[in-house]
Amino acid sequence: MTDPKAIQPSELDQLPDRDPEETAEWQASLDAVTKAAGPHRAAYLMRRTLERAEGNGIALPKLLETDYVNTIPTAAEPSVDGDEAMEHRIAAWNRWNAAAMVTRGSKHGVGGHIATFASAAWLYETGFNHFFRGKEGDGSGDQLYIQGHASPGIYARAFLDGRLTEAHLDKFRQESGGNGLPSYPHPRRLPWLWEFPTVSMGLGPLSAIYQARFNRYLTNRSIKDVSASHVWAFLGDGEMDEPESTAALALASREGLDNLTFVINCNLQRLDGPVRANFKIVQELEAQFRGAGWNVVKTLWGTAWDELFQLDTTGALVRRLREVPDAQVQTYQTRDAAYIRADFFGKDPALAEMAKLLSDDKILECFHRSRGGHESRKVYAAYKAALAHKGAPTVILAQTVKGFTLGEGFASKNANHQMKKLTVDEFKQMRDLLELPISDAQFVDGVVPYGHPGADSPEVRYLQERRAALGGPAPARRTQALAPLPAPAEKTFTSFDKGSGSQNVATTMAFVRLVKDLVRDKETGRRWVPIVPDEARTFGMESLFPSLGIYSPKGQTYEPVDRDQLMYYKEAKDGQILNEGITEAGSMADFIAASTSYSTHGEPMIPFYIFYSMFGWQRTADQMWQLGDQLGRGFLVGATAGRTTLTGEGLQHADGHSPVIAATNPAVLSYDPAFAYEVAVIVRDGLRRMYGESAPGEDPNVFYYLTLYNEPIPQPAKPSAPELDDRIVKGLYRFNTAESAGLSPAANAPRIQLLGSGTAIHWTLDAQRLLAEEWGVAADVWSATSWTELRRDALDADAALLRGEERVPYVRQALQGAEGPVLAVSDYMRQVPDQIAQWVEQDYSSLGADGFGLSDTREAARRYFGVDAESIVVAALAQLARRGEVGAAAVKEARGRYGL
């Protein structure tokens, strides 16, 4: 028996070797090359052999890293289709005006970023001149995710092409007086220019992936053929540390999104210093993207390096480039030729010999100026290769110098992200470097002038001709008016009016039933986009699987295990449901793409994203702000909502605060409906406002947040009351009185107004009965469908009062004349109902579920938080006792009777 210790690890293989002798020959050949030519030659041959195998379709694990050189060699670069000299002049004007705008703004203390665009200028210019398709041609054009800190350069180009004036540039980061330019890409602030908000960092790359995916969804579902659209995401190498930046890389490769290109500006710097001081960020990103299945194009070195690579007959230069950490590369950028000779070339005898053949000027040209991301030909070749690659997304890793052309005081300095201005002397140096016709006399009183060659200059004509050929200006956002979508049949919504009788129905179930009817609508049904993060069965949505299908670009390549069941798991290339797996961030990115399709593609889609309410606003609230900034429309549905309705799941699942977070977002209309008919009324009004005929003064660029519950309860019939639908939408209406509830209070009975929202209204109704039957108190019950909308209306009334206009808040109007104090009850923190306290004229108090959640039964949890029916009774009695309307002894007696 063979001794296991005698077996070398390299000899252990699960696969049997059919020809050990041939294997030994290959291994011996490798050993011989290593001995004769060195390990670097052996590694070179192995890489080339693996590349040949991959090219021939042989299934092998991919190489995750390649040498620290350009993917596309100089000899293989295509010629640039255009006037390179003209494009250099255009780029020079844009560099100048971007720096001038920020410097002039710094006098007002508003700041700005200069160094990012300085490093990335050619990444944008090359795209604008040759690749980025505009929206005035066929289809929807391309989608551009501009790196936020590069916005001054985009404004500078819009100034050159006549879309902005000097007055606009002088209002950079000064928006309050009109004509201002927002600091970063903000569609809500500048909706004709910006299409996608890309700050906070990390959300841009995530959204770009799902936008490319949604483009395929629209095409595969025959909504609109957008197969010609390409998504370009411009990112920073430091930004890639954000977890959202790389969260969906596998999705992009899995679905073969070759309509997507990431362009990562690898200037090796983040805000405080090097991205990877002791390592190499380019190599790390290459391995990460290759491992995820992306096509990787590295554009690292400019043409000045060609001579050095030709002199590298031993591979010493490539080895040295691979081993020098990024922080040292930054140091070379700031040191003289003697230092570089000693530190870079002096580490290897072969490199030392090479350095003897190089002049100081040549060394400085290579190490100070010659980067792949700063040469239009290199960038052009990379973009061309990205568009030509099929079957996978492409990432371009373009190496640049942060602060390039801004002078020695900026380039590669750790602090340059926070440096907001150049001196007059630095501007003059920059002018000479860029060869711009700006005289010293134009610097009046030390103020740097803007530069423009003239509206009819060759530069402007060339720029405009290139954009016309590509389909119009970019970036640009379409804002043309769309025809309102027809309203679904009225019976779809009124079917909830009669209630559920004795049948227990949760509001989540009611919403899903409503959606089932809406997606069957002949006019608008196909425009609904159901989005769910792997919880469809929790929300009772599995019945939609076979009827709508789950979207998959591959269709269904297998026989589902439940194929013989009525509600089997059906995937389809034209599937309507987006079931994203366990990713709330991905689901929100889906929602953003769908909710803005009315603008991006001129095709209004109606997304609803249903999720555990605890894991929506708490987990992805930053994306909700992005959604509002991008002017998205649709329905966010926080299911299994409330702090006490899903208590068996424990602390993390007990949502007591999502309406609080939602209330901070001005773009969201937040509702906490109690009954099925309320859900129907709110959804119908949302469809009207966002997709139909908006009322005068109504902003359609909003989205809705509905909290729904998994607590099955008999749904009541819709009360017959004047303007009830309007009151439901406004946020408050009286559901019943003690008399209409059949409780027959005494004529002189103390009276209290009980306001409840969501599932809390059911405990409130129980408390109404107990107060009447056991304590002789008459209580009227109100449904507060939206505390937030009530507050916003009241704030608007306050603002009107400051303008000299008399306006009474709706909440005060609704409660006018209501007898007794007001007690508000919610399954959320007390600050949710307390939003309206200052505008209620009656004595006001509230109950809510403050603190951490816990695991127990619903009844026990409600007693623990003091929001159950008995707790409401005690709180009501205490409030009446303070007014002298019941005796203090009644409160004590109630506490004892109910065990409180």
Side-chain angles (χ1 to χ4, degrees):
M1 183 174 181
T2 306
D3 182 359
K5 295 180 181 179
I7 302 175
Q8 297 299 315
S10 60
E11 297 172 357
L12 293 171
D13 199 325
Q14 186 71 27
L15 300 175
D17 190 342
R18 289 191 245 173
D19 193 340
E21 186 175 343
E22 183 183 34
T23 302
E25 291 175 358
W26 277 78
Q27 292 171 336
S29 297
L30 181 64
D31 293 342
V33 170
T34 303
K35 184 176 181 180
H40 300 294
R41 176 61 180 169
Y44 176 86
L45 293 175
M46 288 297 297
R47 282 196 297 272
R48 294 297 175 264
T49 302
L50 287 171
E51 289 169 0
R52 175 59 63 89
E54 183 179 340
N56 290 338
I58 299 173
L60 286 171
K62 292 187 177 181
L63 288 169
L64 294 186
E65 287 186 32
T66 60
D67 285 326
Y68 202 65
V69 297
N70 294 349
T71 302
I72 304 170
T74 302
E77 292 170 4
S79 58
V80 177
D81 179 22
D83 186 335
E84 292 186 67
M86 181 69 72
E87 291 174 16
H88 274 78
R89 293 205 295 275
I90 292 171
W93 286 116
N94 290 338
R95 286 180 181 278
W96 176 272
N97 288 321
M101 178 191 347
V102 176
T103 297
R104 288 166 69 124
S106 69
K107 294 181 180 296
H108 304 287
V110 295
H113 302 284
I114 304 177
T116 295
F117 178 72
S119 67
W122 276 113
L123 304 181
Y124 293 106
E125 286 300 319
T126 304
F128 286 131
N129 288 326
H130 301 283
F131 294 96
F132 303 157
R133 297 173 65 254
K135 296 182 177 298
E136 295 174 3
D138 295 334
S140 302
D142 290 350
Q143 287 83 56
L144 308 180
Y145 288 78
I146 304 295
Q147 190 179 2
H149 293 132
S151 62
I154 309 305
Y155 291 139
R157 198 171 209 276
F159 168 64
L160 204 64
D161 72 13
R163 292 194 291 165
L164 292 176
T165 66
E166 287 192 15
H168 287 112
L169 300 192
D170 267 344
K171 296 284 284 182
F172 176 58
R173 291 193 170 197
Q174 300 169 71
E175 300 178 75
S176 60
N179 291 325
L181 300 180
S183 52
Y184 303 126
H186 286 307
R188 186 169 287 275
R189 290 300 186 203
L190 201 62
W192 61 267
L193 179 72
W194 296 122
E195 192 167 19
F196 304 105
T198 50
V199 178
S200 300
M201 286 189 287
L203 299 188
L206 179 68
S207 294
I209 290 173
Y210 280 89
Q211 182 66 56
R213 198 280 195 95
F214 190 75
N215 290 357
R216 291 280 172 85
Y217 173 88
L218 287 178
T219 301
N220 289 338
R221 289 197 55 223
S222 300
I223 301 291
K224 182 179 182 179
D225 185 356
V226 294
S227 55
S229 291
H230 199 85
V231 177
W232 301 82
F234 290 84
L235 317 168
D237 47 2
E239 181 179 7
M240 301 311 293
D241 283 345
E242 291 283 4
E244 297 89 349
S245 295
T246 55
L249 297 187
L251 167 71
S253 61
R254 184 169 65 246
E255 298 200 0
L257 298 180
D258 50 23
N259 60 338
L260 169 68
T261 298
F262 276 14
V263 181
I264 302 182
N265 178 19
C266 298
N267 56 35
L268 313 185
Q269 285 184 251
R270 54 191 182 198
L271 276 61
D272 287 334
V275 179
R276 293 291 183 272
N278 296 297
F279 305 93
K280 302 191 79 64
I281 186 61
V282 169
Q283 298 300 86
E284 179 181 319
L285 290 174
E286 178 184 29
Q288 192 169 18
F289 278 87
R290 283 187 183 275
W294 287 52
N295 175 47
V296 179
V297 177
K298 292 197 290 192
T299 302
L300 308 180
W301 308 111
T303 52
W305 284 83
D306 289 349
E307 179 184 343
L308 275 67
F309 288 124
Q310 290 170 1
L311 293 172
D312 184 27
T313 58
T314 65
L317 176 62
V318 174
R319 290 197 302 273
R320 183 69 179 133
L321 288 174
R322 191 165 57 237
E323 69 188 21
V324 175
D326 284 352
Q328 190 63 21
V329 173
Q330 299 294 85
T331 299
Y332 295 149
Q333 180 70 33
T334 63
R335 298 301 179 88
D336 59 19
Y339 178 89
I340 298 171
R341 283 182 187 277
D343 192 85
F344 181 83
F345 293 97
K347 302 292 185 180
D348 186 293
L351 289 180
E353 289 300 312
M354 179 191 295
K356 294 177 182 178
L357 304 175
L358 304 175
S359 67
D360 285 355
D361 286 344
K362 180 66 176 181
I363 288 176
L364 293 178
E365 181 186 13
C366 289
F367 284 84
H368 284 194
R369 297 183 292 278
S370 188
R371 298 289 189 276
H374 294 321
E375 295 191 11
S376 59
R377 296 180 67 86
K378 302 293 185 183
V379 178
Y380 183 92
Y383 287 5
K384 195 106 173 173
L387 293 181
H389 187 83
K390 300 303 176 186
T394 294
V395 59
I396 295 169
L397 303 175
Q399 186 162 273
T400 65
V401 175
K402 193 166 186 177
F404 188 65
T405 73
L406 297 181
E408 294 180 358
F410 263 84
S412 290
K413 294 298 175 67
N414 283 339
N416 62 19
H417 191 81
Q418 302 301 327
M419 296 163 69
K420 312 298 183 186
K421 59 184 178 180
L422 279 71
T423 66
V424 170
D425 287 342
E426 287 171 331
F427 265 110
K428 291 178 179 179
Q429 293 171 14
M430 182 181 177
R431 171 200 62 190
D432 296 342
L433 175 66
L434 298 176
E435 299 179 340
L436 290 172
I438 298 174
S439 67
D440 288 355
Q442 290 177 261
F443 290 82
V444 180
D445 296 327
V447 177
V448 58
Y450 293 119
H452 200 293
D456 196 40
S457 64
E459 292 92 335
V460 173
R461 287 201 307 271
Y462 180 88
L463 182 155
Q464 293 175 340
E465 287 168 3
R466 298 302 299 186
R467 289 312 315 158
L470 287 165
R477 181 178 179 273
R478 252 188 203 140
T479 55
Q480 79 273 21
L482 297 171
L485 293 181
E490 186 72 10
K491 65 179 181 181
T492 304
F493 303 101
T494 58
S495 62
F496 295 91
D497 290 358
K498 61 180 179 295
S500 65
S502 60
Q503 182 183 3
N504 289 333
V505 176
T507 50
T508 300
M509 297 163 61
F511 177 81
V512 171
R513 178 186 151 190
L514 175 63
V515 167
K516 287 179 183 177
D517 293 338
L518 289 170
V519 296
R520 294 191 188 104
D521 185 83
K522 291 182 180 180
E523 296 289 338
T524 60
R526 71 192 189 109
R527 295 191 178 275
W528 282 87
V529 184
I531 303 168
V532 60
D534 201 37
E535 287 283 2
R537 298 182 193 278
T538 300
F539 308 134
M541 292 175 58
E542 66 268 31
S543 61
L544 298 177
F545 290 170
S547 58
L548 301 183
I550 300 165
Y551 173 73
S552 170
K554 291 184 177 293
Q556 193 153 38
T557 61
Y558 60 93
E559 182 178 357
V561 67
D562 53 0
R563 183 62 182 87
D564 58 342
Q565 298 178 16
L566 181 63
M567 293 183 286
Y568 71 97
Y569 195 82
K570 177 187 174 184
E571 296 189 81
K573 190 173 183 179
D574 61 351
Q576 193 164 350
I577 301 169
L578 293 174
N579 190 321
E580 287 306 347
I582 305 174
T583 168
E584 287 84 3
S587 298
M588 267 307 301
D590 264 337
F591 187 91
I592 292 170
S595 70
T596 54
S597 180
Y598 74 91
S599 172
T600 308
H601 296 297
E603 292 288 346
M605 303 298 286
I606 312 171
F608 77 87
Y609 163 36
I610 188 167
F611 50 88
Y612 268 51
S613 67
M614 185 69 168
F615 299 119
W617 287 91
Q618 173 172 301
R619 193 160 191 166
T620 56
D622 199 10
Q623 288 178 284
M624 275 78 163
W625 280 95
Q626 179 190 10
L627 166 64
D629 198 4
Q630 201 167 320
L631 290 77
R633 306 170 184 176
F635 297 95
L636 296 178
V637 181
T640 62
R643 179 144 281 166
T644 69
T645 60
L646 195 67
T647 52
E649 296 282 351
L651 182 151
Q652 283 195 322
H653 287 61
D655 170 25
H657 51 272
S658 68
V660 178
I661 307 175
T664 65
N665 191 315
V668 65
L669 279 69
S670 178
Y671 286 91
D672 187 25
F675 306 123
Y677 66 80
E678 294 177 352
V679 173
V681 168
I682 294 164
V683 170
R684 178 176 56 187
D685 192 70
L687 290 172
R688 175 200 61 78
R689 177 168 178 171
M690 295 184 291
Y691 301 97
E693 297 282 358
S694 298
E698 269 188 334
D699 183 3
N701 298 315
V702 295
F703 59 97
Y704 283 65
Y705 176 54
L706 278 69
T707 48
L708 302 178
Y709 300 86
N710 68 331
E711 190 166 9
I713 292 173
Q715 293 293 325
K718 184 179 182 181
S720 178
E723 300 180 340
L724 180 59
D725 287 8
D726 184 55
R727 291 173 179 270
I728 290 172
V729 171
K730 285 183 175 179
L732 182 68
Y733 69 96
R734 182 154 46 196
F735 176 71
N736 69 15
T737 63
E739 291 78 9
S740 66
L743 297 174
S744 304
N748 61 347
R751 187 172 291 268
I752 188 168
Q753 308 299 316
L754 302 179
L755 279 58
S757 68
T759 197
I761 203 168
H762 300 290
W763 330 321
T764 306
L765 289 167
D766 288 342
Q768 179 190 44
R769 178 184 54 79
L770 290 173
L771 282 166
E773 294 177 353
E774 300 186 13
W775 304 99
V777 172
D780 300 338
V781 173
W782 300 68
S783 179
T785 52
S786 178
W787 308 101
T788 302
E789 287 305 295
L790 292 173
R791 176 179 176 81
R792 287 178 177 170
D793 171 79
L795 290 172
D796 287 344
D798 285 356
L801 197 61
L802 290 175
R803 296 191 301 268
E805 304 169 19
E806 285 290 337
R807 219 189 95 194
V808 180
Y810 170 72
V811 64
R812 187 170 295 168
Q813 295 177 42
L815 291 169
Q816 187 173 14
E819 297 178 38
V822 170
L823 174 60
V825 187
S826 166
D827 200 21
Y828 297 95
M829 304 167 69
R830 287 178 61 181
Q831 68 190 81
V832 174
D834 283 351
Q835 292 180 84
I836 65 170
Q838 71 186 82
W839 294 280
V840 176
E841 291 182 318
Q842 294 87 343
D843 292 340
Y844 187 91
S845 64
S846 64
L847 295 176
D850 285 78
F852 288 110
L854 79 166
S855 295
D856 212 313
T857 64
R858 289 172 179 155
E859 293 74 16
R862 286 161 189 168
R863 173 57 59 90
Y864 173 84
F865 286 112
V867 293
D868 61 348
E870 292 80 5
S871 298
I872 295 172
V873 169
V874 172
L877 292 174
Q879 201 170 1
L880 290 167
R882 285 193 295 271
R883 295 163 56 92
E885 297 181 25
V886 301
V891 181
K892 183 177 181 181
E893 181 184 349
R895 288 197 193 101
R897 182 182 302 183
Y898 300 135
L900 295 174

